[in-house]
Amino acid sequence: MAQGYPPPQYPQNGYGQQPPQNGYGPNPYAQGPYAQPPQPQPYAQPPQPYGRNPYPPHGQSPYPQAQPALPPCPKEAGGGRRFLAIVLDFVLAVGLGFAAANAADAASRPKPVAHAAGHAVHHSSGPAVPYFVTLLGVGLLASFLNQVVLARLTGFSVGKGILAMRVVRRKRVMRPNTWRLTRRWLLGFVYLAVVFLSEDFEVSEGDIVGMRSVRWKHLQEYQQAVGRLG
């Protein structure tokens, strides 16, 4: 019976390793005091979370685009135009107050009533409201409706609408709310009192409570500039 040959034995080298099967010898500098640490791959990328694309879509820039700045608020209308608008609103409120006071006074006067014996007897229609109270109350109500309610709905009062003006907020260039218009209306009485009592009569109200009276054409130019920005 034939006996098998024993497998060939390869002598070990000085480093105690078997020669590799590919025919290349081991690196004698891979171990020992002069061994070099493994070098990192120069093009290795850190792992990305699953489902997230590290690159922007095609056609988009990886850098954020700066938003274009909005144009400034239109400049305030001239002092003469604003003063004329104040006069028109004042005349409207006072005129309605006088009309209401005269009507109430005429209604409260005693009217003669014919008596059976031929004597005229004056008959009163009831307690009369004082003339000044009616004038002041109706005038203030008309002024409030004109400069607060109407301005909130349309952006202008009667006087400002006749002179092609609008009331806007200075920061956002938009129609102001009711509370801001009310504060402006109340402060307007104080401002007018100071102006009339001072020596230099000049309408330079500026931005009262963050609002500004501008011309209608300047506001249209602002809106067109904002529309072009997209």
Side-chain angles (χ1 to χ4, degrees), residues 164-196:
M165 296 170 57
R166 296 293 185 272
V167 180
V168 297
R169 292 185 60 178
R170 181 176 56 86
K171 290 185 177 180
R172 300 183 180 179
V173 193
M174 58 184 297
R175 190 178 302 173
N177 54 22
T178 305
W179 170 237
R180 194 177 293 269
L181 287 168
T182 303
R183 286 189 296 168
R184 178 188 174 96
W185 177 69
L186 294 174
L187 292 175
F189 291 103
V190 180
Y191 172 77
L192 289 177
V194 173
V195 167
F196 279 109

Side-chain angles (χ1 to χ4, degrees), residues 189-205:
F189 291 103
V190 180
Y191 172 77
L192 289 177
V194 173
V195 167
F196 279 109
L197 293 177
S198 62
E199 297 180 358
D200 299 330
F201 185 81
E202 183 181 358
V203 181
S204 57
E205 55 180 325

Side-chain angles (χ1 to χ4, degrees), residues 74-82 164-165 203 212-215 218:
K75 63 180 181 179
E76 196 167 21
R81 183 181 293 269
R82 287 186 284 116
M165 296 170 57
V203 181
R212 181 178 293 183
S213 299
V214 300
R215 299 186 62 177
H218 294 163

Side-chain angles (χ1 to χ4, degrees), residues 55-226:
Y55 301 99
H58 179 70
Q60 295 185 5
S61 174
Y63 304 99
Q65 298 292 334
Q67 297 294 335
L70 295 176
C73 179
K75 63 180 181 179
E76 196 167 21
R81 183 181 293 269
R82 287 186 284 116
F83 174 72
L84 186 56
I86 293 174
V87 171
L88 292 176
D89 291 332
F90 178 78
V91 170
L92 175 64
V94 173
L96 292 177
F98 271 114
N102 291 331
D105 183 67
S108 63
R109 290 178 182 177
K111 300 178 181 180
V113 178
H115 195 265
H119 300 283
V121 178
H122 295 280
H123 177 72
S124 177
S125 60
V129 180
Y131 184 87
F132 180 76
V133 175
T134 305
L135 171 62
L136 183 61
V138 175
L140 290 177
L141 179 61
S143 177
F144 179 82
L145 294 177
N146 179 33
Q147 301 192 39
V148 176
V149 178
L150 182 62
R152 180 67 181 91
L153 297 176
T154 61
F156 57 88
S157 61
V158 174
K160 292 180 176 63
I162 294 175
L163 297 176
M165 296 170 57
R166 296 293 185 272
V167 180
V168 297
R169 292 185 60 178
R170 181 176 56 86
K171 290 185 177 180
R172 300 183 180 179
V173 193
M174 58 184 297
R175 190 178 302 173
N177 54 22
T178 305
W179 170 237
R180 194 177 293 269
L181 287 168
T182 303
R183 286 189 296 168
R184 178 188 174 96
W185 177 69
L186 294 174
L187 292 175
F189 291 103
V190 180
Y191 172 77
L192 289 177
V194 173
V195 167
F196 279 109
L197 293 177
S198 62
E199 297 180 358
D200 299 330
F201 185 81
E202 183 181 358
V203 181
S204 57
E205 55 180 325
D207 298 336
I208 298 180
V209 296
M211 294 169 53
R212 181 178 293 183
S213 299
V214 300
R215 299 186 62 177
W216 171 234
K217 68 174 185 178
H218 294 163
L219 182 60
Q220 285 182 322
E221 294 174 356
Y222 172 85
Q223 294 173 350
Q224 292 175 0
V226 173

